[in-house]
C-alpha cells in the first residue's frame, strides 16, 4: 500500500499533467476545478503524506554509561530528512563529542556544546551506533556518557503482515542449558557462559547480565540461544551466539527467555507458522536478526512473539516474567 501511494499514484498524476487535454471538461482557466490545478493539488497532498510516512527512530540499545548519570537520548527525523539527536546534557559547561555512523562503516565525529545535533545521509533500515563523550575543560581524555544503537524505518501501521518471516526463517534458535557461568576477566559488565545446545562441545557465549544476575544463579538454567550470529570477540573472548532475553523498555529489568522445562536441549525453536531454514553462522544471520529485533516482543503473559507469531518449541512457547517488553 505504501509503495503504491509513494510511487504509482504520483507517477499517474505526473503523467496527467503532461496530458492536460484529459482534463478538458474541467479546464476553465483560474477555476478551482481546473484539471491542471487539481492534479497539482493532489500531488502536493501526496508529498505531504510522504513526509508523514518518513523515517522514524527505533532504539535497539539506549544506555547511559557514566555512573550515577540518568538521562535521555532521543532521535527524530525532521521534515528535511535529517536526523536530529537530542540528549540530556550532563553539565551545561561541558562540550560534547559524538561518534556516529553505520555499524559496518567507519564512523564520523561531531563536536558541539549543545544538546541537539543534526546529521545528514542516514539510510533506512541500517543499524547505527551513537556514542557521546563529555569533554571537560583542560582535560584531553573524553569520558563516555552515552552509547546506543538505533535504526531508521518507516511506520509499520499499514505494512503487510508476514514481511519479517523471510528474515526470521534463516535464524538458528535452539534450546540450551547453562553449564557454567563466571564474570568476564576483562569486563565488569559481562558474564561468560558455557552452554550446552546439543553439540559435541559447549558454546561459549558472552552476555551483559552482570547488573541483573549473580553468575551462580544462572547455572543449570534452560535458555533460548540464537546460534548462527557471526562470532564476535568481546574483550578478548569470542562469543559464539546470543542469549535471547526479555527486557523492560528502560532496561531496568532483563531476564533470559525460558523454553518449557520439557523441551529437549538442542531442539530447534521456530516462529509459529514459519518453516525455519537456518543459514550458516555469519553475516547473513546477523543482518536478518538486526531487521527483526525491534519487532520481537513479549505479550501480556510474557510469551515471546514476532508479528503475533509465538516463538515455539515442540512443548510450547518460550517466555519470561517480563510482560509487554522487548526481546533482544
Amino acid at each position: 500500500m505504501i509503495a503504491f501511494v509513494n510511487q504509482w499514484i504520483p507517477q499517474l498524476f505526473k503523467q496527467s499533467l503532461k496530458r492536460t487535454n484529459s482534463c478538458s471538461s474541467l479546464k476553465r482557466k483560474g477555476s478551482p476545478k481546473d484539471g491542471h490545478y487539481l492534479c497539482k493539488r493532489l500531488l502536493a497532498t501526496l508529498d505531504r503524506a510522504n513526509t508523514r510516512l518518513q523515517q522514524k527512530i527505533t532504539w535497539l540499545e539506549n544506555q547511559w554509561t557514566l555512573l550515577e548519570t540518568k538521562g535521555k537520548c532521543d532521535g527524530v527525523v525532521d521534515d528535511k530528512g535529517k536526523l536530529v539527536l537530542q540528549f540530556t546534557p550532563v553539565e551545561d559547561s561541558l562540550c560534547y563529542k559524538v561518534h556516529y555512523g553505520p555499524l559496518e562503516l567507519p564512523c564520523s565525529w561531531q563536536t558541539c556544546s549543545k544538546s541537539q545535533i543534526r546529521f545528514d545521509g542516514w539510510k533506512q533500515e541500517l543499524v547505527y551506533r551513537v556514542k557521546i563523550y563529555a569533554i571537560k575543560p583542560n582535560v584531553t581524555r573524553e569520558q563516555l556518557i552515552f552509547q546506543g544503537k538505533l535504526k531508521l524505518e518507516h511506520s509499520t501501521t499499514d505494512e503487510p503482515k508476514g514481511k519479517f518471516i523471510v528474515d526470521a526463517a534463516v535464524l538458528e534458535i535452539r534450546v540450551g542449558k547453562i553449564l557454567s557461568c563466571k564474570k568476564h576477566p576483562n569486563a565488569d559488565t559481562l558474564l561468560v557462559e558455557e552452554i550446552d545446545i546439543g553439540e559435541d562441545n559447549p558454546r561459549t557465549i558472552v552476555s551483559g547480565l552482570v547488573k541483573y544476575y549473580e553468575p551462580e544463579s544462572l547455572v543449570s538454567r534452560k535458555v533460548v540461544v540464537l546460534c548462527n550470529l557471526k562470532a564476535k570477540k568481546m574483550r578478548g573472548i569470542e562469543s559464539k551466539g546470543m542469549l535471547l532475553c526479555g527486557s523492560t523498555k528502560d532496561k531496568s529489568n532483563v531476564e533470559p527467555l525460558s523454553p518449557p522445562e520439557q523441551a529437549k536441549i538442542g531442539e530447534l525453536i521456530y516462529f509459529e507458522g514459519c518453516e525455519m531454514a537456518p543459514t550458516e553462522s555469519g553475516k547473513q544471520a546477523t543482518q536478518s536478526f538486526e531487521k527483526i529485533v525491534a519487532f520481537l516482543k513479549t505479550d501480556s503473559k510474557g510469551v515471546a512473539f514476532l508479528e503475533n507469531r509465538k516463538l515455539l518449541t515442540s512443548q510450547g512457547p518460550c517466555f519470561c516474567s517480563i510482560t509487554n517488553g522487548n526481546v533482544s
Side-chain angles (χ1 to χ4, degrees), residues 169-189:
V170 304
L171 302 178
E172 183 182 355
I173 308 172
R174 295 191 181 275
V175 175
K177 183 177 181 180
I178 299 177
L179 303 179
S180 68
C181 183
K182 61 183 181 181
K183 290 186 177 181
H184 195 299
N186 302 318
D188 295 335
T189 60

Side-chain angles (χ1 to χ4, degrees), residues 175 222-224 257-265 267 269 311-319:
V175 175
K222 280 190 173 180
V223 289
V224 176
L257 292 182
S258 297
E261 191 57 37
Q262 300 80 6
K264 293 183 179 180
I265 294 173
E267 177 183 340
I269 300 174
L311 186 60
L312 296 172
T313 70
S314 61
Q315 302 300 313
C318 301
F319 59 92

Side-chain angles (χ1 to χ4, degrees), residues 206-224:
V206 180
S207 304
L209 294 173
V210 167
K211 181 179 177 181
Y212 311 99
Y213 292 93
E214 292 296 327
E216 56 272 14
S217 68
L218 293 174
V219 175
S220 299
R221 180 169 181 156
K222 280 190 173 180
V223 289
V224 176

Side-chain angles (χ1 to χ4, degrees), residues 82-238:
K82 293 183 179 181
L83 173 76
V84 181
L85 194 67
Q86 299 168 317
F87 61 94
T88 304
V90 179
E91 294 178 25
D92 292 337
S93 61
L94 293 182
C95 186
Y96 299 97
K97 190 174 183 182
V98 182
H99 183 188
Y100 68 96
L103 293 184
E104 68 272 19
L105 297 174
C107 294
S108 303
W109 289 94
Q110 181 162 334
T111 303
C112 77
S113 57
K114 299 179 179 179
S115 60
Q116 186 180 90
I117 304 174
R118 282 179 168 81
F119 303 121
D120 294 320
W122 290 72
K123 295 182 180 179
Q124 183 184 350
E125 300 296 351
L126 290 182
V127 178
Y128 293 86
R129 178 188 290 114
V130 174
K131 292 186 177 182
I132 301 175
Y133 293 81
I135 308 172
K136 294 185 178 181
N138 303 320
V139 177
T140 57
R141 183 181 179 185
E142 300 91 1
Q143 188 170 20
L144 180 63
I145 62 171
F146 172 85
Q147 59 182 338
K149 292 180 184 178
L150 58 81
K151 72 175 183 178
L152 287 75
E153 60 202 0
H154 285 306
S155 172
T156 59
T157 53
D158 296 323
E159 291 181 356
K161 296 292 183 181
K163 66 167 292 189
F164 303 112
I165 293 305
V166 173
D167 292 306
V170 304
L171 302 178
E172 183 182 355
I173 308 172
R174 295 191 181 275
V175 175
K177 183 177 181 180
I178 299 177
L179 303 179
S180 68
C181 183
K182 61 183 181 181
K183 290 186 177 181
H184 195 299
N186 302 318
D188 295 335
T189 60
L190 300 177
L191 293 178
V192 181
E193 304 104 7
E194 296 294 325
I195 302 179
D196 181 7
I197 59 168
E199 297 176 327
D200 294 338
N201 299 307
R203 286 278 188 111
T204 299
I205 292 180
V206 180
S207 304
L209 294 173
V210 167
K211 181 179 177 181
Y212 311 99
Y213 292 93
E214 292 296 327
E216 56 272 14
S217 68
L218 293 174
V219 175
S220 299
R221 180 169 181 156
K222 280 190 173 180
V223 289
V224 176
V225 183
L226 181 51
C227 302
N228 61 339
L229 296 180
K230 185 177 180 180
K232 182 179 180 181
K233 275 201 172 183
M234 302 182 72
R235 295 293 184 92
I237 295 180
E238 188 173 51

